[in-house]
Amino acid sequence: QVQLMESGGGLVQPGGSLRLSCAASGFTFSNYVMSWYRQAPGLERELVATITSDGGRTNYVDSVKGRFTISRDNAKKTVYLQMNSLKPEDTAVYYCNRRPNSARDMDYWGKGTLVTVSS
């Protein structure tokens, strides 16, 4: 059973930092591209960051470039999202996502962790 479990969310003030973690199990973690998405109330879910299976390349949505860093530890089967200089508009539920590695594969999602940035 594929399982993704996010943790690390919480309430922070603007300018603060959080590190989200996503613990993976039930599959060969090192074979998969992993991503973080987020969804704010009333808005569509958006892709925040993506990392290749070996961690060699990353991509970010423009709004978080220079502030967020996605990383992974394949030995620990965990993907991270370090979030610095947080802004109120970063408030959302953050989801860990496993991208398909073939046409017959499928997406998997964690249940999400809430990040609230407010003074």
Side-chain angles (χ1 to χ4, degrees), residues 40-106:
L43 300 179
E44 295 183 358
R45 188 172 298 188
E46 70 169 343
L47 176 62
V48 177
T50 299
I51 188 166
T52 56
S53 59
D54 65 354
R57 288 187 288 274
T58 59
N59 292 98
Y60 302 90
V61 66
D62 286 346
S63 61
V64 309
K65 287 181 179 177
R67 300 188 298 118
F68 290 12
T69 303
I70 187 171
S71 61
R72 67 192 295 160
D73 186 333
N74 284 349
K76 296 181 178 179
K77 301 183 71 174
T78 302
V79 61
Y80 305 94
L81 186 67
Q82 178 66 47
M83 305 185 296
N84 299 326
S85 301
L86 283 161
K87 303 175 180 179
E89 52 263 44
D90 296 318
T91 296
V93 177
Y94 284 72
Y95 297 92
C96 183
N97 167 257
R98 190 193 85 171
R99 301 304 305 163
N101 67 359
S102 72
R104 296 182 179 182
D105 204 358
M106 63 181 292

